[in-house]
Amino acid sequence: MEDKLRQWMQSRFADEIVREDDFRGEQSFFVKPEALLPLCQALVDDSELDVRYLADITSCDWLGHEEEKGGRFEVIYNFCSLSHRYRFFIKLMLPGESPRVDSLTPLFNGANWLEREVWDMMGIEFTGHPDLTRILTPDDFEGHPLRKDFPLTYEVPQFSWNKDEPPEVIR
C-alpha cells in the first residue's frame, strides 16, 4: 500500500507535495495548506485506496525550534484505510500569524470535534467549520494553552491541612 499511495499522490498532487517522510515505517506527506481539501476529497473519492477514516488531527508548535523555518505550526492528519489495514499521515505547516486551514468537516463528520480541540488548544482556525467553539477550556478562557508562548502559571493544590487558606498563585 505504501508504494500505491506514493504513486497515487505523485500522479495527482505532485506540485502540492512539499516532501515525503518515512519515520519508523509510518508514511507521511507534507503538503501545501491550500491543497488539503482537494487532496482529501480525492482520497475519499478513490475507491481503490478506500480511505474513509480520519482517526485524529493534532498539531505541534515549533516556536524557537529549527523546524519553525517552514512555519510555526504543524497540523497532522492521521488517515486510515481499514480495508487495506494501512495508516498514513498528511501534514502541513502554517505561519505563526493567523494560522488557518480549510476544515475537513464536509468530508469527515468526525473532524468536527478534532478540529475544535486543535483550535481550542493551539488557536489554529479551520475555515468553513460549522461550530468552531471551545471544547476543552471554559468559554471565557483567553488564549490557547498548548502554544509555547502561553504564560505558565501554577496554583498550589488545596488539601485538608490548607483548605482555609486562600490559594497561592506562583508566577
Side-chain angles (χ1 to χ4, degrees):
M1 181 69 176
E2 182 177 337
D3 292 332
K4 180 190 273 190
L5 181 61
R6 180 180 299 111
Q7 290 170 0
W8 185 91
M9 294 284 276
Q10 288 296 336
S11 68
R12 288 173 175 79
F13 294 95
D15 294 339
E16 310 302 330
I17 298 171
V18 176
R19 73 176 194 268
E20 179 185 350
D21 282 344
D22 187 11
F23 179 71
R24 295 185 179 176
E26 293 184 339
Q27 191 175 24
S28 299
F29 295 93
F30 281 83
V31 301
K32 296 175 183 174
E34 60 274 8
L36 179 68
L37 193 57
L39 187 148
C40 291
Q41 180 68 60
L43 281 170
V44 168
D45 292 343
D46 192 299
S47 59
E48 191 175 325
L49 291 177
D50 196 31
V51 177
R52 304 270 186 266
Y53 182 50
L54 174 62
D56 197 13
I57 303 172
T58 189
S59 60
C60 247
D61 183 354
W62 291 107
L63 181 67
H65 192 276
E66 63 189 42
E67 288 289 327
E68 187 182 4
K69 66 181 180 271
R72 176 177 171 180
F73 297 104
E74 178 180 352
V75 183
I76 302 114
Y77 297 84
N78 182 349
F79 289 99
C80 295
S81 171
L82 298 176
S83 62
H84 294 291
R85 295 182 180 181
Y86 191 73
R87 175 173 64 169
F88 65 97
F89 301 90
I90 302 290
K91 301 179 178 185
L92 49 93
M93 301 300 288
L94 297 173
E97 286 296 317
S98 300
R100 71 175 43 98
V101 66
D102 289 330
S103 173
L104 293 186
T105 53
L107 303 175
F108 301 96
N109 288 332
N112 189 325
W113 284 31
L114 300 171
E115 290 175 351
R116 286 176 62 192
E117 178 185 5
V118 171
W119 178 78
D120 194 5
M121 296 288 105
M122 295 291 262
I124 296 168
E125 184 181 332
F126 293 89
T127 307
H129 191 283
D131 183 30
L132 199 58
T133 56
R134 294 199 178 270
I135 192 169
L136 297 174
T137 58
D139 290 340
D140 60 347
F141 191 84
E142 292 183 22
H144 304 282
L146 290 185
R147 285 187 172 200
K148 289 196 175 177
D149 57 0
F150 187 79
L152 298 177
T153 60
Y154 179 77
E155 188 173 309
V156 177
Q158 295 284 310
F159 296 101
S160 58
W161 56 269
N162 69 351
K163 69 179 175 59
D164 296 325
E165 298 171 15
E168 178 185 347
V169 177
I170 302 170
R171 293 183 192 252

